[in-house]
Amino acid sequence: MEAGKTIREPARRGSWSRTLNFINPLRAVWWLVTNVRFAIILLVLLVVVALMGVLIPQMPDNVRGDAVLEANWLSFEHGRFGFMTSPMHDAGLFDVFHQRWFGLMLAVTVVSAGAYVVSRFPGIWTSIRRPRKRVPDRYLEMAPHRLQLDAPVDADRLEALLRGKRYKVERTQEAGATYLFADRFQIAQLGTLLTHVAIIVFVLSAVVRRVDAYSAPLFFAEGDSLPVYPVSNPNQIQVQLSNSYANFSADGAPLDYRSDLVIYDRGVEALRCSSTVNSPCTYKGFKFYEVAYFGYGAQVSVRDTATGKLVYNETLALSEQTPSPRVKIADANGATLLDTAVVMTDTATTPDGSTYQAALVSLSDGRPLTFWLPKDAKDGDKLVVFGPDEGGNTVQTALTAGQTQQSGGLTISYNGLEAVPTQDLDDFPLPADVGSGANGPARLQLSNVNLGTGTASSGDYVSEGGAAAGTPQLTITGVKAQAVALKSGETATIGGLQYTFEGQREFSGIEARRDRSDMLVWIGAAAIVLGLAITFWVPRRRLWAKITSARTAMAGQAPSHANFTQELRNLARQAGADLPPEPDDDD
């Protein structure tokens, strides 16, 4: 070495390339999306967001995109969330599954799951196609599942045992030793990848649902039609309810609800079909399910007699109830003069401050009777009946439910209370001489209807006593001093307005639902079930054995939940090794 000269060591090859690889942004991204902890964080976030979408009311599809409907919907939710309504709306919490940030989360989850599959597949496939068939002696001594014996076992017998347990076995001889490699259920290693593929399929189904799914709840009466999309949609589908049916058992239990529908596509009739709860109509990817039935509707029209103009034509759902007494009255000869539920149209207050419902009814012979019943009456309350008689026999009696009494030459039977469908209306047209001459309060009550037992809102009978229903009759209170009673098709002209009861109508609730992600959901579910079943019920097992004239060494790989060491002991004992049985040996 010459004095004064500095000897420089050559730079290690690859140092700069390793540094560049480390800071390479693509490599960093790849490391992130294939990281298990990152995947767990993503799944936790998706679960939290999904719970928010379930627990927080979500804006219906037929409301979203319509400024007026959205404002009305948010106004309703303001009663629940108060001052937080506007910030929650701005953050997209009322429409979680249609937000861009939710779509971004789904995209990152797909990329992460896909990257995991891509990064793991080559190694797993190599392990399946070209497994390691020889391991060093050190591994046989240190493997988690191992067995060391100071005696040989019968190699032929051990090989036969392994083949009997569905292992693929390869046997080699080398330097006085016999080597066995046994492999079972190699393809099972793909089970974990299958579960990740299932996650991708589920996310894709969520994307399809987000982009394509649509639902619209429709509640309408017979003869009415409603649009499926917002009104401005150029591809409008309209549904008309031509008939609504309900079948009940003898005790009033609903047996079947069915609706006859006519579906129009951009104004042109496209399909006539019948929809039930379990057998919906289908058209252009939509399924039209029957989800509700309501039997107490009344179609009422009001016409201006001077101009002939129709000023009101609605089918009203009479969703409230008023108690009405079912009364049967006969004269001295036994002829029936009245058999109906008496609609209580008036209110009266006694000097002691008690409030009663009242009604003035004319019997079929023209005799008037007045009925009084406490407000919000129950069957234990008394029904008071009184009225004059031209022959001097005044009717005056009080009955409880189930009683029959004679008074004023009449036999009066009070069979009990019936819930009469009722609706109070503030916008019902009134004659000019009533109030201010504008729209005002009116009460509509529908009697002589018979659909089931129980509450009217579920479409059950009103007549719990089983009495004949008769002809439906609509009683209108508020259009003149006395209530007006109309049977189907009858009219009454009052103060220049002609009121017509067009008839009882039934309502149906139809849900129009389009969700073409269903098939993807089924595929994803099948993939995840199959992947988990493969992973836990048929896991891959590998075994290596070295047998010499003096020793036997065995080692294996199996899932952590498998007691593979015990299986090695059983194999060795059955192959001729002198091993004492242990309490947990599985023979």
Side-chain angles (χ1 to χ4, degrees):
M1 182 186 307
E2 297 181 9
K5 287 188 177 181
T6 302
I7 300 176
R8 297 180 179 177
E9 294 185 2
R12 286 179 291 178
R13 293 182 62 187
S15 59
W16 280 104
S17 63
R18 282 196 297 269
T19 303
L20 288 174
N21 284 337
F22 180 76
I23 63 174
N24 188 326
L26 293 179
R27 182 175 291 273
V29 171
W30 182 256
W31 174 86
L32 179 65
V33 295
T34 57
N35 188 278
V36 175
R37 293 179 181 176
F38 179 70
I40 292 173
I41 292 172
L42 274 178
L43 291 176
V44 169
L45 286 175
L46 280 175
V47 169
V48 170
V49 171
L51 283 175
M52 290 169 57
V54 171
L55 299 176
I56 299 174
Q58 299 295 290
M59 190 174 293
D61 290 335
N62 61 323
V63 171
R64 184 166 43 86
D66 189 308
V68 176
L69 294 179
E70 282 189 12
N72 292 337
W73 189 86
L74 290 172
S75 177
F76 176 79
E77 293 300 331
H78 190 274
R80 181 183 303 179
F81 296 100
F83 71 94
M84 291 297 297
T85 304
S86 182
M88 290 174 67
H89 176 57
D90 294 339
L93 298 184
F94 292 125
D95 197 14
V96 168
F97 303 115
H98 292 87
Q99 299 303 310
R100 290 185 178 179
W101 50 263
F102 181 72
L104 181 61
M105 287 179 61
L106 292 180
V108 173
T109 303
V110 169
V111 170
S112 178
Y116 177 88
V117 172
V118 170
S119 65
R120 298 296 189 275
F121 181 79
I124 292 176
W125 188 248
T126 299
S127 175
I128 292 172
R129 299 293 298 170
R130 296 192 298 274
R132 188 173 187 179
K133 299 177 181 180
R134 181 78 66 86
V135 293
D137 292 346
R138 182 67 174 169
Y139 180 80
L140 295 173
E141 296 171 359
M142 303 297 295
H145 301 292
R146 65 185 183 275
L147 179 66
Q148 299 285 331
L149 299 174
D150 292 327
V153 298
D154 188 332
D156 294 335
R157 191 173 179 184
L158 178 59
E159 181 179 351
L161 287 169
L162 289 170
R163 292 187 186 279
K165 292 180 178 290
R166 299 186 299 279
Y167 281 89
K168 292 183 178 179
V169 184
E170 291 193 22
R171 178 174 175 174
T172 56
Q173 300 285 142
E174 185 178 326
T178 300
Y179 293 91
L180 295 178
F181 170 66
D183 199 354
R184 185 173 72 171
F185 303 140
Q186 301 98 314
I187 205 71
Q189 270 192 279
L190 295 175
T192 55
L193 298 185
L194 198 58
T195 56
H196 285 76
V197 171
I199 293 174
I200 296 175
V201 174
F202 278 133
V203 173
L204 288 177
S205 71
V207 172
V208 172
R209 176 171 296 180
R210 177 178 182 267
V211 173
D212 183 66
Y214 185 86
S215 66
L218 311 174
F219 187 73
F220 46 4
E222 292 171 320
D224 288 348
S225 59
L226 288 175
V228 172
Y229 295 117
V231 177
S232 59
N233 193 302
N235 299 314
Q236 188 61 262
I237 295 176
Q238 202 157 18
V239 184
Q240 182 182 47
L241 177 64
S242 59
N243 253 317
S244 180
Y245 308 90
N247 293 324
F248 298 89
S249 64
D251 61 358
L255 299 176
D256 182 44
Y257 296 149
R258 181 166 55 89
S259 295
D260 290 340
L261 305 178
V262 182
I263 299 174
Y264 295 88
D265 189 346
R266 286 174 284 189
V268 179
E269 181 178 323
L271 179 68
R272 287 180 178 263
C273 58
S274 185
S275 174
T276 66
V277 176
N278 297 317
S279 300
C281 296
T282 58
Y283 179 72
K284 276 194 172 181
F286 276 96
K287 293 184 178 180
F288 299 88
Y289 292 91
E290 171 103 12
V291 295
Y293 170 83
F294 183 79
Y296 307 124
Q299 183 178 357
V300 183
S301 63
V302 183
R303 191 177 297 274
D304 188 329
T305 56
T307 63
K309 181 181 178 181
L310 191 66
V311 297
Y312 187 87
N313 186 19
E314 296 288 342
T315 300
L316 306 167
L318 309 184
S319 56
E320 300 174 6
Q321 298 178 11
T322 54
S324 300
R326 166 67 68 168
V327 179
K328 183 175 182 179
I329 300 177
D331 61 14
N333 298 321
T336 300
L337 303 178
L338 182 72
D339 185 4
T340 189
V342 178
V343 179
M344 312 302 280
T345 59
D346 301 306
T347 302
T349 304
T350 61
D352 63 359
S354 300
T355 303
Y356 284 81
Q357 301 174 88
L360 178 62
V361 178
S362 294
L363 304 182
S364 59
D365 63 357
R367 185 175 181 179
L369 288 181
T370 300
F371 297 84
W372 280 37
L373 191 68
K375 187 178 181 182
D376 301 323
K378 299 178 176 57
D379 278 335
D381 294 327
K382 288 185 176 295
L383 172 67
V384 178
V385 186
F386 58 91
D389 181 69
E390 294 180 356
N393 293 324
T394 301
V395 176
Q396 187 170 351
T397 185
L399 308 90
T400 55
Q403 282 189 328
T404 298
Q405 293 187 9
Q406 293 184 345
S407 180
L410 300 176
T411 301
I412 305 171
S413 299
Y414 174 30
N415 296 325
L417 291 173
E418 293 182 2
V420 171
T422 304
Q423 190 67 43
D424 292 329
L425 301 173
D426 291 328
D427 59 349
F428 193 72
L430 302 180
D433 58 352
V434 176
S436 62
N439 295 339
R443 168 168 285 196
L444 279 65
Q445 295 173 279
L446 187 64
S447 56
N448 287 336
V449 288
N450 193 0
L451 295 175
T453 56
T455 61
S457 61
S458 62
D460 294 343
Y461 290 115
V462 168
S463 176
E464 297 186 1
T471 302
Q473 178 173 285
L474 182 68
T475 302
I476 306 175
T477 306
V479 294
K480 67 175 187 176
Q482 291 184 341
V484 176
L486 302 172
K487 289 183 169 59
S488 296
E490 290 185 343
T491 63
T493 301
I494 306 167
L497 295 178
Q498 184 185 69
Y499 297 87
T500 304
F501 174 36
E502 305 288 352
Q504 180 187 356
R505 299 289 184 264
E506 295 165 296
F507 282 79
S508 285
I510 301 293
E511 182 180 1
R513 187 191 311 163
R514 183 186 65 199
D515 188 356
R516 287 179 270 215
S517 66
D518 291 350
M519 184 58 66
L520 289 174
V521 171
W522 283 109
I523 293 173
I528 199 167
V529 169
L530 182 60
L532 291 174
I534 290 173
T535 301
F536 289 102
W537 274 277
V538 287
R540 185 182 188 184
R541 297 191 181 194
R542 282 173 286 182
L543 181 147
W544 295 269
K546 179 181 179 181
I547 306 170
T548 66
S549 59
R551 288 182 57 80
T552 298
M554 300 171 65
Q557 289 182 356
S560 57
H561 63 270
N563 190 0
F564 201 38
T565 301
Q566 187 60 51
E567 185 173 339
L568 295 178
R569 288 180 57 82
N570 293 337
L571 287 169
R573 188 170 62 250
Q574 294 172 29
D578 186 13
L579 288 173
E582 294 187 359
D584 58 349
D585 276 358
D586 184 10
D587 295 326

